[in-house]
């Protein structure tokens, strides 16, 4: 049953991604229905009696589920309709991935209460920084659009028109740093819970593995960006480059490494 819900949610996301901007009500309702189906199927798929499913596909799907909600809420306050074509197709792909790559179940018996808290905070951190990365891509496109604006006789598609309707770049930049600041706090909590409660969470002492190293590198990049913004006034291309680089490294920390281990090397992890 979850598979059908996943497929229906993916189809709704795709339909809403490419509907004309003028159809605001059908788009908004379609996203909400798709998000509910996505969340319900994900919840029933991830959790069983005294066990939780983990894996790159499940975690990516959960991350995009929260990112869709963040986009929907953000779009209520600001005109960010052009972000639909960035967020929703990626979310549609992430919806069906758990059906193809199910990951593995981890028994919760004997696990610390911090285990689920660590996973929840991690997903929230990844989700916030994912929407920040989409936001940064949108700013790159917006800036490029400003520098190469066509003449009045040129025909523009709906996406180009949606880019023109975005808030001013300075407003977009303030939104970006608000997202990065919140995501950095959550990522800090993720790192601290992983370091301090490693043995309680995973049954092993703290280890400097690839996941830890990539996570710390991403944390350092986002921290450096926020410090540079605060004391050096970093903005524009510098801010966008740091954001996208930090997100790419964070993506490698869990999703990329789990994909290689589960799909390429066919290793089942606990």
């Amino acid at each position: 049953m979850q598979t059908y819900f996943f497929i229906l949610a993916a189809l709704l996301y795709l339909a809403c991604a490419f509907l004309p901007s003028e159809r605001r009500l059908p788009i908004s309702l379609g996203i909400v229905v798709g998000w509910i189906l996505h969340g319900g199927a994900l919840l029933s798929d991830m959790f069983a009696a005294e066990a939780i499913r983990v894996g790159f596909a499940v975690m990516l799907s959960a991350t995009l589920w929260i990112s869709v909600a963040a986009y929907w809420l953000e779009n209520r306050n600001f005109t960010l309709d052009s972000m639909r074509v960035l967020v929703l197709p990626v979310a549609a792909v992430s919806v069906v991935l758990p059906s193809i790559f199910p990951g593995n179940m981890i028994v919760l018996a004997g696990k610390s209460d911090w285990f689920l808290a660590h996973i929840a905070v991690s997903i929230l951190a990844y989700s916030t920084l994912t929407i920040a990365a989409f936001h940064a891509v949108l700013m790159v496109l917006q800036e490029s659009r400003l520098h190469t604006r066509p003449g009045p006789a040129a025909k523009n598609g709906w996406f180009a028109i949606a880019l023109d309707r975005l808030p001013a770049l300075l407003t977009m930049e303030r939104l970006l740093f608000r997202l990065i600041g919140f995501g950095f706090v959550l990522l800090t909590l993720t790192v601290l819970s992983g370091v301090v409660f490693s043995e309680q969470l995973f049954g092993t002492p703290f280890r400097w593995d690839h996941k830890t190293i990539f996570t710390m590198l991403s944390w350092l990049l986002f921290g450096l960006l926020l410090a540079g913004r605060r004391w050096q006034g970093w903005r524009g291309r510098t801010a966008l480059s740091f954001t996208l680089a930090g997100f790419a490294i964070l993506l490698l920390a869990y999703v990329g490494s789990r994909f290689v281990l589960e799909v390429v090397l066919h290793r089942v992890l606990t």
Side-chain angles (χ1 to χ4, degrees), residues 41-116:
L42 190 62
L43 187 67
S44 62
D45 186 53
M46 281 184 69
F47 294 96
E50 295 297 321
I52 183 173
R53 186 182 302 281
V54 298
F56 88 93
V58 173
M59 294 303 153
L60 185 63
S61 184
T63 296
L64 266 298
W65 180 67
I66 297 176
S67 297
V68 168
Y71 154 72
W72 190 87
L73 291 171
E74 196 176 17
N75 194 47
R76 310 307 295 174
N77 300 316
F78 300 93
T79 306
L80 299 174
D81 191 62
S82 50
M83 193 178 284
R84 276 190 300 129
V85 78
L86 301 178
V87 175
L88 294 185
V90 178
V93 173
S94 76
V95 166
V96 298
L97 282 179
S99 301
I100 304 171
F101 306 106
N104 56 291
M105 300 296 293
I106 290 182
V107 177
L108 295 176
K111 294 286 187 183
S112 167
D113 292 339
W114 286 100
F115 182 73
L116 287 178

Side-chain angles (χ1 to χ4, degrees), residues 151-211:
K155 293 183 178 180
N156 293 319
W158 74 263
F159 185 67
I161 295 172
L163 283 177
D164 291 339
R165 292 175 178 170
L166 285 172
L169 269 173
L170 287 177
T171 302
M172 292 286 286
E173 191 172 79
R174 284 197 297 271
L175 289 172
L176 176 65
F177 276 97
R178 188 185 304 172
L179 288 168
I180 292 172
F182 184 55
F184 181 75
V185 171
L186 291 171
L187 189 59
T188 301
L189 292 176
T190 302
V191 171
L192 288 176
S193 65
V195 170
V196 177
F197 301 103
S198 180
E199 192 152 6
Q200 295 181 45
L201 289 171
F202 310 113
T204 58
F206 178 73
R207 294 180 301 175
W208 282 99
D209 55 13
H210 52 274
K211 183 174 71 173

